[in-house]
Amino acid sequence: MKVIWVLAAKELHDGLRNRWVISIILLLGSLALLLLLLSSAPGGTAKVSGLNIGVVNLSSLSVYLIPLIALMLSFDALVGEFERGTMLLLLTYPLARWQIVIGKFVGHLFILMIALVLGYGGAGLISIWQTGDASGWENFVLMILTSFMLGSVFLLIGYLISVLASERSVAIAVAIACWLLLVVMYDLALLGVLLSSDESLISQDVFTALMLINPTDLYRVFNMSMISGSVNVSHMTGSIDNSQVSIMALITSFIAWLVLLLSIVIWRFQRREV
């Protein structure tokens, strides 16, 4: 365990030195604060907490932003070490390969967690101080936790790309392609099927299953289902029958993604030649 923490500390130190952490905090914090302050502005007669509206708006932003940040953090985590020749030096130490993967992954998790807590959390506290309304803070905290889970999945997707790619240039191209496929194109394809004139093309159960196998849609459904009535403001999550999707099923799906991806990354790294 000591080895893992040493490697994690090194990744965190590198993130601080390269100003990755500060950049992400400023980006997330400024965007979150802007959306929260806009959400707290009075509008209509509906008695809805500004933080709850902010969760809906931030979820819509985070589903695009968090995966991209996670992939940019991790796409060269392994292939970059191979290109610089530092991986060969690292493997001369009495380290198991799985310890290298876990240690670097934990370090990136710390970077992501610090950025989310300080960025989103700081923006939430400023919004509460500005408006004097703290109702809905539980949903806001849950949104930060689910954002962390979403980022964790995409960190591992980045690690998988990194362990399979032969060069950093290939890794970043594949990472961007994966982001476009999972975050943008997947939903567009499902939306096209949903709007198809042939209603028998896909059943409700199949559509729900297709939504739940994509981590970005898992994130959407999780956050929207936490706020009463908010599912109606999301373009596709409103097509899911919430009574058929339990919170435990959503959490289990996230955990399954994490375990599966981590296992594949470690297995592939064990077989990769230096």
Side-chain angles (χ1 to χ4, degrees):
M1 286 299 295
K2 183 179 179 180
V3 171
I4 291 175
W5 290 117
V6 169
L7 290 171
K10 177 185 178 298
E11 288 298 323
L12 181 57
H13 178 266
D14 290 344
L16 292 171
R17 184 186 62 189
N18 298 331
R19 294 181 173 83
W20 256 112
V21 178
I22 297 174
S23 300
I24 298 172
I25 291 172
L26 292 176
L27 176 63
L28 295 179
S30 58
L31 291 175
L33 183 59
L34 177 62
L35 286 177
L36 287 173
L37 292 179
L38 289 175
S39 301
S40 64
T45 58
K47 301 297 183 181
V48 181
S49 166
L51 279 181
N52 280 337
I53 299 176
V55 167
V56 175
N57 293 332
L58 275 176
S59 297
S60 299
L61 172 68
S62 298
V63 79
Y64 296 99
L65 192 58
I66 299 298
L68 185 60
I69 290 173
L71 287 172
M72 292 302 99
L73 276 173
S74 61
F75 79 92
D76 67 340
L78 299 174
V79 70
E81 299 277 7
F82 280 110
E83 279 198 355
R84 291 188 294 269
T86 51
M87 183 61 75
L88 181 61
L89 177 62
L90 194 59
L91 291 174
T92 61
Y93 292 100
L95 299 173
R97 291 199 177 195
W98 66 268
Q99 290 177 315
I100 295 175
V101 173
I102 297 294
K104 294 175 76 67
F105 178 55
V106 171
H108 282 130
L109 285 179
F110 276 130
I111 293 175
L112 186 64
M113 179 178 64
I114 291 171
L116 285 170
V117 170
L118 295 182
Y120 280 177
L125 291 176
I126 293 174
S127 176
I128 292 173
W129 172 75
Q130 183 72 21
T131 62
D133 181 13
S135 58
W137 68 268
E138 303 95 334
N139 293 324
F140 189 79
V141 171
L142 187 61
M143 186 271 298
I144 294 177
L145 292 175
T146 54
S147 296
F148 179 71
M149 294 172 68
L150 176 65
S152 301
V153 171
F154 275 88
L155 280 176
L156 285 175
I157 292 175
Y159 271 73
L160 181 58
I161 294 170
S162 188
V163 77
L164 292 174
S166 57
E167 300 176 355
R168 290 181 74 253
S169 57
V170 174
I172 191 170
V174 175
I176 293 173
C178 284
W179 180 81
L180 288 172
L181 177 63
L182 293 175
V183 178
V184 181
M185 302 304 296
Y186 190 90
D187 275 1
L188 289 178
L190 284 184
L191 189 59
V193 172
L194 183 65
L195 298 177
S196 172
S197 58
D198 184 3
E199 297 181 356
S200 62
L201 184 62
I202 186 171
S203 67
Q204 177 71 43
D205 291 339
V206 173
F207 184 82
T208 300
L210 289 174
M211 288 282 288
L212 297 183
I213 62 174
N214 186 348
T216 58
D217 289 324
L218 271 175
Y219 175 79
R220 284 193 180 99
V221 175
F222 198 108
N223 284 289
M224 298 307 168
S225 63
M226 289 293 96
I227 304 173
S228 177
S230 66
V231 70
N232 297 323
V233 303
S234 184
H235 66 291
M236 285 204 307
T237 51
S239 303
I240 293 183
D241 183 3
N242 284 353
S243 63
Q244 297 180 358
V245 182
S246 66
I247 300 301
M248 187 56 63
L250 297 174
I251 294 175
T252 302
S253 298
F254 264 123
I255 294 174
W257 265 101
L258 291 171
V259 172
L260 177 63
L261 286 170
L262 185 58
S263 301
I264 294 175
V265 170
I266 292 175
W267 171 77
R268 186 63 185 84
F269 187 49
Q270 296 278 13
R271 293 175 172 268
R272 176 161 177 164
E273 296 182 359
V274 179

